[in-house]
Amino acid sequence: MIINKKTMITKRKNPFLTYYYPNSLLADQFQTIQTNINFLMSEKMTQTIMVTSPEEGDGKSTLLANIAVAIAQQKKKVLLIDSNLRAPALHEFFYTSNTHGLTDVLSGRMTLSEVVHHTEIWRLDLLSSGSIPKNPVELLGSKIMKELLVKVKESYDVIILDSTALIKLPDTKLLASLCDGVLLVVKNGKTKLQSASEAKKMLEFAKARLLGVVLNQ
């Protein structure tokens, strides 16, 4: 399924178009994606959503942040998890510290309540990645990560995870199998058809459910 056929998103310096410019055309596009996600969530049991792309540089982090804002504006409690343990970016969007985060929870050093950030956007919380570990694959594939995703479902309506690119690293394939669904972001003029096809096959091999594809421009 392709969400809204080919939904066109343009990058801007300010990542939160849906919050600061709610009446803009681009904010409308994010709202359209949010509406489609809501439909999928009501149709099937979809609460944890991973957003990934075939390769780096496809704009997935900006896109998922705006989707999270759009969902929060619909009076749903949202948790953003930066599970990109190699090149995390979400803490920069929210101007928060990344000293502690997901890696501390997965290693047992801290609890979720100690590291989660309550952002300026009502109902939207952020779990940043924390310090970059030496063993990201081991942490993301751990029993604790699986238990964490089950636990946060009790407190949040929607959990959205940022991840590494799909093709070159094993991290995302492990994580995809733990989530209820996956959104694949491809970039117009950059992502090759072969890469997109390979990414789709990898998700199928991981037995992940592909919710849709978003074309980013």
Side-chain angles (χ1 to χ4, degrees):
M1 171 182 174
I2 298 179
I3 292 182
N4 193 28
K5 300 296 183 180
K6 294 182 179 180
T7 303
M8 309 297 288
I9 306 299
T10 303
K11 291 179 70 176
R12 286 282 297 274
K13 289 183 179 179
N14 192 316
F16 300 119
L17 294 168
T18 44
Y19 185 69
Y20 293 106
Y21 308 100
N23 297 319
S24 67
L25 178 61
L26 294 175
D28 286 343
Q29 295 293 329
F30 286 114
Q31 291 288 352
T32 299
I33 298 174
Q34 175 266 323
T35 299
N36 281 279
I37 290 175
N38 272 349
F39 176 77
L40 290 169
M41 288 172 60
S42 61
E43 186 182 52
K44 298 180 180 180
M45 294 298 293
T46 305
Q47 199 171 348
T48 53
I49 301 170
M50 188 188 77
V51 181
T52 187
S53 58
E55 300 171 346
E56 296 293 345
D58 293 332
K60 60 178 173 55
S61 296
T62 301
L63 185 138
L64 71 87
N66 277 277
I67 292 174
V69 172
I71 294 174
Q73 288 174 332
Q74 297 301 313
K75 299 182 179 181
K76 293 184 182 294
K77 194 171 182 183
V78 183
L79 176 65
L80 267 179
I81 300 179
D82 197 339
S83 53
N84 185 340
L85 301 187
R86 299 176 188 266
L90 292 183
H91 64 283
E92 297 177 355
F93 290 178
F94 293 92
Y95 302 101
T96 61
S97 168
N98 195 36
T99 305
H100 301 294
L102 177 61
T103 54
D104 296 282
V105 177
L106 297 181
S107 60
R109 293 190 295 266
M110 302 179 77
T111 64
L112 176 65
S113 61
E114 290 176 313
V115 297
V116 72
H117 297 278
H118 304 293
T119 74
E120 64 177 306
I121 300 169
W122 191 33
R123 305 186 190 89
L124 178 57
D125 289 350
L126 169 68
L127 176 58
S128 60
S129 70
S131 57
I132 297 176
K134 295 180 180 179
N135 57 339
V137 177
E138 181 180 336
L139 287 177
L140 293 174
S142 66
K143 180 182 178 182
I144 299 177
M145 182 67 194
K146 185 176 182 179
E147 291 173 346
L148 175 64
L149 291 179
V150 173
K151 180 181 178 180
V152 293
K153 286 183 177 183
E154 299 173 1
S155 303
Y156 295 92
D157 299 307
V158 185
I159 301 96
I160 302 177
L161 297 90
D162 196 3
S163 67
T164 58
L166 188 56
I167 291 180
K168 294 182 180 179
L169 298 167
D171 312 27
T172 304
K173 291 187 286 292
L174 282 173
L175 201 56
S177 64
L178 300 180
C179 295
D180 299 329
V182 178
L183 281 180
L184 184 65
V185 179
V186 297
K187 190 168 185 178
N188 186 37
K190 177 182 179 294
T191 306
K192 296 179 181 178
L193 181 60
Q194 181 179 354
S195 297
S197 178
E198 184 177 350
K200 183 175 180 294
K201 289 179 181 178
M202 286 182 173
L203 291 173
E204 291 173 348
F205 183 77
K207 296 182 179 179
R209 183 159 66 94
L210 181 62
L211 298 176
V213 178
V214 180
L215 180 63
N216 189 10
Q217 181 169 324

